[in-house]
Amino acid sequence: MINGFLAAADLPVLVAGNQLLCPAMGAPGVDGVTLCTDELLRRHGPVPLIGLDTLPDDALCAAVGAVGGFAPLIELPPVGDEFTLAVRALEDRLGRRLDAVTTLNAAGPNALFPIAAAAALGLPLVDCDGMGRILPLIHQTTYHLAGLPAAPLAASSQTGDVIVLQTGSARADRLLRGVVDASGGFMICALYPATASQLRRAAITGSTSRILEVGRLLAAVSGRTALLGGLTRTVGARLLAGGRIVEVGRTDRTVGTRHYPSMPSGIVVQEPGRSGRTLRLEAQNELLLALLDGAVVAAVPDVLCLVDRQRQRLVGLEQAAVGDHVDVLVIAADPRWHTPQGLALAGPRAFGFPVRHPSEASHR
């Protein structure tokens, strides 16, 4: 990034740093997202990356992000006009043009789509997002916690379908997913229209900059100690345990009705030695819960990630295999996620795990 602008040359660093929050960035289909973003940046030029404090209070912004899975991107990657179609449909509904683009969640492909949208539209990208990680539902955001509605929202598919929804935020997710399924399993959305003044109390700031910083770290460091130390300094990562993966498999340890698109799975990591502890990780597409010798030591909305101890690279759920030697790290979520309202929306019980978040237990 040069002088506050995101260029095509920055994408490899961004993708590398993005793996901290979404190791599946190496999954098939995601390459097409990177190529689309690269093409738009080369065609339209670098995108200004700006802070919320640089915008006037009445500047109108909207978040750009995708709803759907990786699989549809393998057969039909985005071509670039989806961003313009979605944003223009939202602007027509609002009766006003946007002044800047924001990010739904600066993790996974959704860290790249707002850059592509800003390039296609000739707008700046605000350095903020509403999740700080990947969460499955569009209303699991700090925007929602602050009272900002997701709708009106507009969505566009790779085949040119465009819809506009005006409804409550929780209902919007359910309605939108029905349309997404019918249109091929993936749509680009423009949502959470808000002024800069509203976003200053609702957004997690510095999200894209954080990913870039992690990417530079991963490219520069050598050795496990340097990597762990660097992640501690840059994102506050904390080591939970390290050892050998002894079990990987499907699981379903949740209770109640699950409303999330997910594939429940579990990973067991055994520390070395006779007195080595056992760490079990529970996942639903993303790592959500960590139990050390049966006690909850970390949970969503905090970010859990695996680092290969030998190759010093981040490991995704689909890449984890029995015999791998890994470190398990936790990165604390934005403080707003640790409030009672935040944990009710995106804590472990919201995903069907009948346990308290460690921050709740410490306040009892």
Side-chain angles (χ1 to χ4, degrees), residues 76-138:
L76 193 61
V79 297
D81 59 354
E82 302 93 339
F83 311 106
T84 301
L85 288 172
V87 170
R88 294 297 183 229
L90 178 62
E91 290 175 332
D92 289 345
R93 177 68 179 82
L94 296 171
R96 180 181 167 187
R97 294 296 195 199
L98 297 185
D99 297 301
V101 172
T102 60
T103 303
L104 180 63
N105 61 309
N110 272 349
L112 298 179
F113 289 135
I115 300 172
L121 295 160
L123 293 174
L125 174 67
V126 183
D127 192 6
C128 70
D129 83 320
M131 294 185 187
R133 57 160 298 144
I134 291 179
L135 291 167
L137 306 182
I138 61 173

Side-chain angles (χ1 to χ4, degrees), residues 55-81:
L55 290 170
D57 286 350
D58 62 350
L60 182 62
C61 309
V64 170
V67 173
F70 291 143
L73 297 175
I74 300 174
E75 296 184 0
L76 193 61
V79 297
D81 59 354

Side-chain angles (χ1 to χ4, degrees), residues 300-340:
V300 64
D302 299 331
V303 178
L304 286 158
C305 55
L306 301 174
V307 179
D308 189 303
R309 300 181 73 173
Q310 297 170 326
R311 289 172 284 186
Q312 288 87 55
R313 66 175 179 84
L314 295 152
V315 180
L317 280 174
E318 69 288 340
Q319 301 159 334
V322 171
D324 288 350
H325 291 264
V326 298
D327 287 316
V328 183
L329 308 181
V330 60
I331 302 166
D334 183 88
R336 280 166 285 193
W337 284 123
H338 290 162
T339 63

